[in-house]
Amino acid sequence: MALDITALLPDPAHRTKRQAMVDDHFGSVHEGNFTGFTPAEEASFTTVQATSATALVAALSGLGPADKTIIECAWNGASSDGGRVFGLNASSLSANAGVDWGYTRPACSVIIRPAAGFSPTFVSTYSDGVLELVGLSKIQIENMVFDATSLKFSATPTYPAYAMIALKNNSFTNNDISAGNKFTVTMSNVRTMHATGNQFRNCSAAFVGSPNYLRSWDNRFEAMSNNDVHGIRGYDGPGAKAGWTAHIWVAGNIAYNMSAANPASGLHCDFLQISSIYETGQHWGYKVLAEFNVAHLDRGGGMAGTQGFFGDDGSGYAGDWLIHNNLILLSAYWACMPWDATDNQAKVVTKNMFLRAATANATQDAYPRIEGLRSVGVTGTGTLEVSRNYGALFTTGKVSGEQFSGNVVVSPRTNAAVGTRYVDVITGNGSFTTDANGYLTYTSPDAGLTDAAQAKAAIAGFAQPLAGWGVTAGPEDPALWPSGDYANLGSGGTGGGGGGGGGGGSAPYTLPGPTLTINVQVV
């Protein structure tokens, strides 16, 4: 039985902070709380069928401002198309200076899913395999397979709608850098990205871009290489984004069995990186909630190192962070760097476990570290709490209001003091060795595994503290972490599940109900 929020975050102040972040997403009716369409909403949609990838692109390109459409993909196997989708023309929308992107949100809504009895795969042949969806309003894509294909959501002055997107239980495969500089899901001008239950396999990067709201929940990242799992970048206004606060919530994800492909690319993988040197002063900044994630970011010795939660110290944004109950194994410097240029926010890093990946680049520092940073010369009134974490290095003197307490040192150095060595602190797998540079290495617990649940169990079994989960420090038992609806986690977790969102919000994971079906073939 999953633990509730009181057991996961025993400090009431931490629960209060988390609840405030949950309420940013779900505490009121706004476009950011879009999680997909309810069965009641689907009942008003018209259903059409597309018998090929080209027919799907044509159906998407023909949507009008009032259309509510379910497009069922009625083909088996791979079907290719080289087109782009252009959605709603500005001339068809109602201008509204009170909306940040300049128009009243139209009713236009679309769902893309397989037709009953079909297993379609979409393959894009346009520009390095990009399926670009420009100026769509509200879109839900579920249970589809995209092979060697990137999804790019964008808007232009001619097609200006900032999309509200739900990606549910899709599969993205073979989107590796060898076929081009691949960003699997790119969010250029996006209001909301709500992504749940998706599988990314053999991809160079997963989520990249700059949504107003990003929720990445229960996604699986297997055999990733070269670039970030969550790369948050591109707030380079002026424009609609200038007034935004970026809300980022990553929960229940797992990254495992990393790829060793393309080692000469020079790129590296972070589990979550916020990075843009162009955004200083363009928007308020970021509120980041990261919880219940497992990642073994092991790219192999000699490759560019990997990192956990990294804030870009070249940008000028404010950063409000809560990082708790995560298990991350990495090979480079920063396990967690909650960057806050203004030094005015209350950052919390608590109850996490950060360990060194199985095989690391020997030129990198062996210590996964936790530290806060601020802009040079800035002294704010904020705080940074680093408490009850397992890690190798906890640094001080970097930001105002630092509070370090209850952290446990677990060091990969071969000359580490007895009591801090991995063999003294974690269960391990009986295969600790040292390489020629004196760094600890071990057999990867998730190498070769293709099942996410098995990989999570293997990584957690390796990392389990000898003292027990959550006893001295670190996260609670990953086997008891919640999944699904992270807005409602029992005692102390009373977040709403979503309101209207401009005519498309819903409680997460409502079961599908009956829909009105009008069968019209699009060929």
Side-chain angles (χ1 to χ4, degrees), residues 31 99 101 103-107 136-138 161-164 191 501-502:
E31 291 183 345
V99 177
W101 56 276
Y103 297 86
T104 299
R105 174 72 61 181
L136 293 180
S137 182
K138 288 176 283 187
Y162 277 41
M164 298 155 58
R191 173 72 72 211

Side-chain angles (χ1 to χ4, degrees), residues 306-438:
T306 61
Q307 300 182 142
F309 304 101
F310 176 72
D312 181 8
D313 55 355
S315 298
Y317 56 79
D320 184 8
W321 302 69
L322 173 57
I323 312 295
H324 76 92
N325 283 283
N326 298 281
L327 170 56
I328 310 293
L329 288 65
L330 61 147
S331 63
Y333 301 103
W334 282 284
C336 187
M337 190 180 80
W339 168 256
D340 175 20
T342 66
D343 200 16
N344 286 324
Q345 306 310 308
K347 289 86 61 180
V348 176
V349 183
T350 187
K351 289 176 64 64
N352 302 284
M353 175 172 274
F354 298 112
L355 301 175
R356 187 169 181 262
T359 54
N361 188 336
T363 65
Q364 298 288 351
D365 190 327
Y367 290 119
R369 67 181 70 161
I370 302 174
E371 69 178 19
L373 282 178
R374 63 194 175 200
S375 289
V376 175
V378 172
T379 301
T381 58
T383 58
L384 169 65
E385 177 186 338
V386 178
S387 61
R388 296 190 64 187
N389 301 283
Y390 281 91
L393 187 65
F394 308 93
T395 61
T396 61
K398 302 290 185 176
V399 296
S400 299
E402 291 179 325
Q403 306 161 31
F404 291 82
S405 65
N407 298 295
V408 174
V409 173
V410 52
S411 174
R413 291 283 191 181
T414 55
N415 61 353
V418 174
T420 69
R421 302 170 304 174
Y422 280 26
V423 294
D424 303 323
V425 180
I426 65 174
T427 300
N429 58 10
S431 60
F432 292 121
T433 60
T434 56
D435 64 17
N437 296 281

Side-chain angles (χ1 to χ4, degrees), residues 209-211 231-238 241-246 248 273-288 310-319 321 339-342:
S210 53
I232 313 303
R233 60 190 70 167
Y235 288 91
D236 53 359
K241 299 173 186 177
W244 285 6
T245 296
I248 312 300
Q273 178 173 203
I274 296 174
S275 179
S276 178
I277 62 174
Y278 304 108
E279 64 185 50
T280 302
Q282 298 294 351
H283 66 116
W284 179 88
Y286 299 87
K287 293 188 176 183
V288 181
F310 176 72
D312 181 8
D313 55 355
S315 298
Y317 56 79
W321 302 69
W339 168 256
D340 175 20
T342 66

Side-chain angles (χ1 to χ4, degrees), residues 173-314:
T173 62
N174 302 318
N175 207 38
D176 191 71
I177 196 170
S178 59
N181 191 14
K182 295 287 189 176
F183 295 149
T184 305
V185 176
T186 300
M187 306 159 286
S188 292
N189 294 296
V190 167
R191 173 72 72 211
T192 303
M193 172 60 74
H194 183 82
T196 63
N198 300 285
Q199 171 82 45
F200 295 79
R201 178 175 284 127
N202 190 31
C203 297
S204 292
F207 297 103
V208 178
S210 53
N212 196 174
Y213 292 83
L214 170 64
R215 289 181 298 276
S216 172
W217 290 359
D218 294 335
N219 297 296
R220 306 176 303 281
F221 307 92
E222 180 198 344
M224 300 288 290
S225 65
N226 300 103
N227 218 319
D228 300 330
V229 176
H230 303 90
I232 313 303
R233 60 190 70 167
Y235 288 91
D236 53 359
K241 299 173 186 177
W244 285 6
T245 296
H247 302 274
I248 312 300
W249 187 354
V250 294
N253 301 291
I254 177 166
Y256 62 102
N257 189 24
M258 297 286 284
S259 170
N262 308 301
S265 70
L267 298 172
H268 71 274
C269 175
D270 290 2
F271 185 75
L272 186 151
Q273 178 173 203
I274 296 174
S275 179
S276 178
I277 62 174
Y278 304 108
E279 64 185 50
T280 302
Q282 298 294 351
H283 66 116
W284 179 88
Y286 299 87
K287 293 188 176 183
V288 181
L289 173 59
E291 53 190 3
F292 318 126
N293 300 287
V294 173
H296 183 197
L297 306 177
D298 187 21
R299 287 278 284 133
M303 297 186 184
T306 61
Q307 300 182 142
F309 304 101
F310 176 72
D312 181 8
D313 55 355

